Amino acid sequence: MLRTTKVAKAGGPEDGELSMSAQHHLASGDQSHRDLDARERVLNSAIIAADISRGWEEYLEILDAFYAEDVELTTDAETGAVRGRERIRTLLFNFLAPLHVMVEIGGLSIQIRESPIHGDAADETHSAWSVDLIGVSGRRCKLAWRTLRRWADSRVVYERHYDHQQTGGPLTGDDLSLNQSLATLGYGRPS
């Protein structure tokens, strides 16, 4: 949120009026905040539009397009920060590859939602995320968290995931059709 303070100077605008330079500063501040909000919306829309059933490559492309080379990622669930886009790429791949298999072969359905949260720092954005994992059995596991991002120009330079919540237990093999799919491929049959 942009806060303004009116300051009257001797020989300046009358009390209650803003000088032209103050008006220009506020307008450019508003414009940069709108630009930041637009970049955040584009990034979040790209994440939501990416389809894990097609593979994980879209997510890695998003990482390359929106995140700085030396980005720092922290979470309240981990003790240390992860620095650098390449290290984050490895973590992301290790998470997304099995998820892709569970969607493609196991019948897992995924619903992703995001909603912006109002923040008060000029270079930060905040959002609330939730992911519903729905097994073929109908059983659900909902994960929710909040994200804070700091931007420099058009790139995310810092991202923090916090306030993690889980509703419902983890999905098991009974909630996915992996056993049937593996049997179709010839795995799990006695020889």
Side-chain angles (χ1 to χ4, degrees):
M1 174 178 205
L2 184 62
R3 295 188 181 121
T4 60
T5 305
K6 295 180 183 178
V7 178
K9 295 194 287 184
E14 293 182 25
D15 198 23
E17 292 181 14
L18 293 174
S19 69
M20 289 298 284
S21 64
Q23 289 175 0
H24 180 271
H25 176 72
L26 291 175
S28 65
D30 285 346
Q31 180 62 42
S32 73
H33 188 69
R34 282 192 298 271
D35 292 346
L36 180 65
D37 287 343
R39 285 192 298 272
E40 177 79 0
R41 280 191 307 274
V42 171
L43 169 55
N44 291 343
S45 294
I47 292 169
I48 290 169
D51 186 353
I52 192 65
S53 69
R54 291 190 299 250
W56 52 84
E57 294 84 358
E58 288 176 86
Y59 295 97
L60 298 179
E61 290 170 4
I62 292 167
L63 179 67
D64 290 340
F66 288 93
Y67 289 79
E69 189 68 39
D70 58 349
V71 63
E72 179 179 340
L73 176 67
T74 64
T75 176
D76 61 3
E78 296 290 325
T79 55
V82 178
R83 289 182 178 82
R85 196 167 57 202
E86 285 308 310
R87 289 193 61 211
I88 294 171
R89 172 189 299 287
T90 301
L91 292 173
L92 195 56
F93 172 79
N94 290 337
F95 172 76
L96 292 172
L99 195 57
H100 168 70
V101 171
M102 287 188 280
V103 168
E104 187 176 33
I105 296 174
L108 181 68
S109 175
I110 300 176
Q111 297 174 349
I112 302 172
R113 286 180 293 288
E114 177 272 339
S115 57
I117 300 171
H118 180 72
D120 60 357
D123 65 341
E124 289 182 358
T125 58
H126 300 261
S127 53
W129 289 86
S130 68
V131 174
D132 284 307
L133 305 171
I134 307 155
V136 293
S137 66
R139 191 162 170 228
R140 291 176 175 254
C141 178
K142 180 178 182 173
L143 306 171
W145 68 96
R146 297 176 187 270
T147 299
L148 168 135
R149 291 188 184 117
R150 289 194 186 116
W151 295 74
D153 298 321
S154 62
R155 300 285 185 148
V156 176
V157 294
Y158 175 81
E159 185 168 292
R160 179 172 182 257
H161 298 205
Y162 63 99
D163 195 20
H164 291 85
Q165 300 172 13
Q166 179 177 330
T167 308
L171 301 178
T172 67
D174 294 337
D175 299 312
L176 303 171
S177 60
L178 288 174
N179 293 338
Q180 291 173 325
S181 298
L182 292 174
T184 305
L185 295 172
Y187 295 100
R189 293 187 197 160
S191 22

